[in-house]
Amino acid sequence: MEIVKVAALGITGMLLGLLLKETKPEYSVYLSLAAGILVFCYMAGKLEYLFSSVLKIQEYLPLDTKYLTTLLKMIGITYVGQFSAGICKDAGYGAVASQIEVFAKLYIMVLSIPVLLALMEAIHGFLT
Amino acid sequence: MEVSLLFKIGAVGILVSVLCQILKHSQREELAFLTSLTGLLMVLFWVLPYIYDLFMTIQDLFAL
């Protein structure tokens, strides 16, 4: 199944990386990057199917598409931030990794502000 | 494309480290440095299109 392929891919990448860790550490960073990208190739097809079905569900609900795209954006940002922070942590640069994660959190908060405002206005409308 | 990329990078890594050891022992440090640099650049040019594709798919998929 897919999961066996992905696991085998990750393990080969890790073994090759360990092989090269002492003599040439930069190649182990390349290997972890390449393994991450190849695993993402498997994920892309599944994500595509997931998002198309979510869009289909969304047609039945009288929901504003703006909120759904914000949600998708947030998922994308967390994924990219997590991936790049993990790569930096593997290479030993924890400070850079934490900077990336702080920026990702900040950006998600910025994205969530309009949704919050809309909620506030809705509540304000009820009360007055 | 799948696993062969990993094996290619591993092969280049091993080859470059062996070459550098040989060149170092024969007192040619600059050559050793040049071979490791070329190996690094070669792998970079292999991996770069994948990174570009990764970020393009993420942008399309997540509507960023």
Side-chain angles (χ1 to χ4, degrees):
Chain A
M1 282 192 310
E2 288 284 322
I3 186 67
V4 173
K5 253 188 266 181
V6 166
L9 198 72
I11 287 173
T12 39
M14 178 265 293
L15 286 175
L16 281 171
L18 275 181
L19 192 67
L20 291 166
K21 206 152 187 61
E22 280 73 28
T23 50
K24 288 279 173 220
E26 57 271 15
Y27 285 100
S28 65
V29 175
Y30 273 132
L31 273 165
S32 62
L33 194 66
I37 291 173
L38 289 179
V39 170
F40 179 77
C41 290
Y42 280 99
M43 263 202 294
K46 310 248 171 314
L47 279 175
E48 188 68 42
Y49 171 72
L50 206 64
F51 287 151
S52 56
S53 50
V54 162
L55 282 178
K56 249 185 252 132
I57 292 166
Q58 195 262 331
E59 271 143 24
Y60 303 131
L61 309 172
L63 198 63
D64 186 356
T65 57
K66 182 164 68 66
Y67 301 136
L68 198 67
T69 42
T70 339
L71 194 66
L72 286 187
K73 224 176 264 217
M74 284 181 192
I75 297 174
I77 291 160
T78 36
Y79 173 74
V80 173
Q82 203 71 34
F83 181 60
S84 44
I87 296 279
C88 294
K89 237 172 247 157
D90 281 354
Y93 289 82
V96 177
S98 56
Q99 292 302 315
I100 293 174
E101 279 179 10
V102 164
F103 177 77
K105 291 188 180 90
L106 214 66
Y107 193 33
I108 287 176
M109 268 168 63
V110 163
L111 272 179
S112 60
I113 292 299
V115 185
L116 200 63
L117 289 181
L119 179 68
M120 290 302 147
E121 272 141 25
I123 294 174
H124 184 65
F126 291 151
L127 295 185
T128 54
Chain B
M1 190 281 282
E2 285 303 319
V3 196
S4 64
L5 175 68
L6 288 184
F7 292 140
K8 271 195 284 187
I9 295 176
V12 167
I14 295 168
L15 201 67
V16 164
S17 52
V18 166
L19 272 173
C20 282
Q21 293 300 333
I22 295 167
L23 288 172
K24 276 203 184 79
H25 285 306
S26 56
Q27 271 77 36
R28 284 192 175 68
E29 266 67 22
E30 61 286 353
L31 273 184
F33 171 73
L34 283 179
T35 40
S36 67
L37 194 64
T38 42
L40 212 59
L41 285 179
M42 212 165 63
V43 172
L44 181 66
F45 284 131
W46 280 344
V47 177
L48 215 57
Y50 285 101
I51 297 173
Y52 180 73
D53 291 347
L54 173 75
F55 284 116
M56 280 310 126
T57 17
I58 286 180
Q59 261 177 349
D60 313 338
L61 210 58
F62 293 106
L64 281 176

